[in-house]
Every structure is written in structure tokens, then in C-alpha cells.
Amino acid sequence: MSVIDTLVTDRVNGVKYNYSDMNRVESAFVYLQAKMNGEFGFNLSLTIKTNWVRNDLGQVGAQALMEQYRQNVVAIRGAITQMAETPSAPASMRFLDWAKANDIEKILQDVEWLLNRMPFAFRHSGATISGQRGLIR
Amino acid sequence: MNDRTPTEVLANGAIRYGIYDSAGVLLRYEYIKPEDAPTQDGTALNKANLLKDVTAALYGLGTGAVPNDVFALIKPLLDSKAKIATGSYIGTGTYGVSTPNSLTLSFTPKLAFVASNTTFGIFANNFPKALLFRSTTTAFSTDPVVTWSVSSLSWYDAGSPVFQLSESGKTYNYVVLG
């Protein structure tokens, strides 16, 4: 089980988005960045904050931190061509509603879902001829 | 570079392929994966092994770069780097315009040093004379006549094998920079 398994995508209208949600998502940023860079050769360089506390959102500079949070979602989503059904990243964190909050975490789930399938499409040295299509040598 | 990103993969890793008739009509899907029990999978031919984004970035390339893009950038970098050749030869005792010494190189020489245990010569880019020192005297010579070319350096001394750096049986070591 990874942090991806803890992501929440089934919020309904009226559910609040708070600092604990952000810490969970930020932890997913950490996990995905390490996985993508370490196993798949990406070069993500996210600015990640995993220590949000209740009062952070009312502080000076919170808007910039929230935008950084959103940009992380954009960067992770943009690193791989996504499935048609994968939501778009929110255009802004202002007035984030329950649906957009779900979208953020669904994006991260979908990225990991794709990452977990990519290795099955990898060809390996010794099993492939340059220019070859198909599967059997 | 970008790795293929499949969506139709079974939990056991089998990946979907289509079976078609000769008219191009899809008959069905089949899920297959190698079952050849390899002792090792082999190195995956993927972004992580062939060209990581962080490596592409070292060359100012984006995430879509392929290895060939890097190779194309490396060649002029290699060409622009200083080159060096080292080696030695045994003097033959010959000297004069008709029997010059010559070093053939894979690059255009710019600076050369040739030395035995008694004589040391300096050759500088396109300068038509060499500067020679002897360990047995404080005098020096600028008599040797030098010819520079695109891939060689040759010289002779009209008066002595010593100043042609060609004393019979003596070992001469050289360093050529280009």
C-alpha cells in the first residue's frame, strides 16, 4: 500500500478541503516524484510542502503556496500523456470546490495507474531488433 | 524521449494485441506476455535507461529529446576539445632536408615537445623553427626547420642529428597538442 491508495476522489458537495487533505496530496507528490524520477527517468523538480497546519491557509503567502501546490499537479499530469478520462488540473486554487478537489487526487491516481503499466510495454535488450514492430522476433 | 504508456494490461502483465484478418478487420484481442522463463529480463529499452530527462537537460534538451539528439550535440564538443598525442621513437642518426623527422597525427598539431635524456625541443604552432636545449650546455639552437601541416609535423636540421633530435639509438619521447 502506498500513499496513492489513501487519496480521496469521492467527495460530495459540502465536504471541506483542509490542511490534512493537502498534506496527503503533498505526500503523494513526494511519492510520485521519486517514482517517476527514480524508476522512469523523468526530471521532476517539485516544490513540496508536507507540513501544512490548520492556520497556514490564512497566512501571508498562502496564495503562492497554493499555486505551487497546483503547479505540482500540473507538472505531474503533464509528464505523461494522460487518458481521455483523466481530469484536467484545476486552473486555479481559488474557490476550489469538492469536484476539483477530487480531480486533483484522481489525476495522481491515474498517473500512478499508468506508471504501473508502462513496464509491461518495455522491450528489453536482446529481445528487440531496431525498427521492428510487433512482438515476436 | 517518451515511453509507451499502455492502458490495456492484465494484472499478470499480459498486454493487449489485436488479431486481424488480411483485410485489416479486427477479429479479436489477445493478451500475451513472454513466457520464456529468462534467467534475466535484459536491460529495458526505455527512457530511464536510454535518455533520462535529467541527462537531456544537461545538453539543454527537453523531455522529448532522443539519444540521437544528444549524439549530435556531443560531436562538436569533442571536436572543439584539445587533443593530445604522446609516444616515442628511436633516433636513426640521419639528418638534413632529405631525411626529416616526422610525426603523423590524427589532428592538426599546435604545440609539440620532443625530448631525449640530453636534448629537448619545443615546436610552436606554425613557427618555422624549433627551439632546442641540451643538458650539456647552456647554449640553445633555433636551427631546425619545421614544417606544419593539417595532420603532421616534420623538421630537419642541416648540420647534425643531435639538433634534428635523431641521434642514433637514442630514445625520444614526444607530446603533441592540437
Side-chain angles (χ1 to χ4, degrees):
Chain A
M1 178 169 169
S2 75
V3 65
I4 300 299
D5 300 310
T6 69
L7 295 177
V8 177
T9 61
D10 59 355
R11 295 177 185 83
V12 295
N13 196 6
V15 173
K16 300 293 187 187
Y17 197 68
N18 62 38
Y19 72 95
S20 63
D21 293 295
M22 300 184 70
N23 283 333
R24 181 178 59 255
V25 168
E26 298 268 17
S27 295
F29 294 158
V30 172
Y31 171 82
L32 286 173
Q33 177 172 248
K35 182 171 181 130
M36 295 172 80
N37 290 356
E39 299 175 32
F40 292 90
F42 292 94
N43 187 25
L44 293 177
S45 183
L46 308 178
T47 301
I48 299 173
K49 172 180 167 63
T50 56
N51 59 350
W52 290 91
V53 295
R54 186 183 305 275
N55 292 330
D56 277 349
L57 294 177
Q59 301 299 312
V60 173
Q63 189 173 343
L65 291 173
M66 293 290 283
E67 175 58 15
Q68 183 59 61
Y69 179 94
R70 189 189 72 84
Q71 288 293 343
N72 287 349
V73 178
V74 171
I76 289 173
R77 190 188 188 286
I80 306 175
T81 301
Q82 297 300 317
M83 297 177 285
E85 62 268 30
T86 299
S88 298
S92 167
M93 291 298 284
R94 296 192 71 188
F95 309 117
L96 187 79
D97 62 17
W98 61 273
K100 289 177 183 174
N102 284 343
D103 286 350
I104 288 172
E105 302 193 45
K106 181 65 166 63
I107 288 167
L108 303 181
Q109 282 185 340
D110 284 358
V111 167
E112 202 217 20
W113 191 88
L114 289 174
L115 290 174
N116 287 342
R117 280 152 185 77
M118 286 168 67
F120 298 116
F122 292 161
R123 300 298 178 87
H124 293 80
S125 179
T128 302
I129 298 170
S130 178
Q132 176 194 36
R133 286 185 65 88
L135 65 148
I136 298 171
R137 199 180 152 193
Chain B
M1 74 184 275
N2 298 305
D3 286 334
R4 188 179 182 86
T5 312
T7 60
E8 296 296 340
V9 182
L10 300 184
N12 68 357
I15 197 164
R16 190 175 82 177
Y17 282 80
I19 305 298
Y20 290 81
D21 67 15
S22 59
V25 175
L26 177 65
L27 301 177
R28 66 185 186 280
Y29 294 121
E30 296 281 4
Y31 288 80
I32 66 170
K33 70 186 185 81
E35 294 291 355
D36 55 343
T39 58
Q40 58 185 21
D41 278 333
T43 303
L45 306 176
N46 59 11
K47 179 190 193 85
N49 290 327
L50 297 178
L51 183 60
K52 292 179 180 177
D53 287 346
V54 69
T55 306
L58 295 176
Y59 295 89
L61 298 172
T63 59
V66 297
N68 192 60
D69 296 330
V70 174
F71 296 149
L73 290 173
I74 288 174
K75 181 62 166 63
L77 293 175
L78 292 175
D79 289 346
S80 66
K81 289 187 77 71
K83 298 174 180 64
I84 185 168
T86 62
S88 64
Y89 64 87
I90 306 294
T92 61
T94 58
Y95 65 98
V97 67
S98 61
T99 54
N101 285 17
S102 180
L103 296 174
T104 300
L105 307 153
S106 60
F107 54 86
T108 301
K110 300 286 178 57
L111 186 65
F113 305 97
V114 181
S116 69
N117 59 345
T118 56
T119 314
F120 175 52
I122 302 173
F123 303 74
N125 188 21
N126 287 327
F127 195 74
K129 296 281 191 175
L131 177 61
L132 271 73
F133 301 91
R134 299 215 70 203
S135 61
T136 54
T137 173
T138 57
F140 58 88
S141 170
T142 57
D143 289 341
V145 177
V146 184
T147 301
W148 300 81
S149 79
V150 172
S151 60
S152 70
L153 171 66
S154 64
W155 68 94
Y156 71 89
D157 183 88
S160 164
V162 172
F163 293 110
Q164 190 165 313
L165 298 164
S166 187
E167 282 189 82
S168 181
K170 192 172 283 286
T171 298
Y172 294 86
N173 296 302
Y174 64 83
V175 176
V176 184
L177 304 177

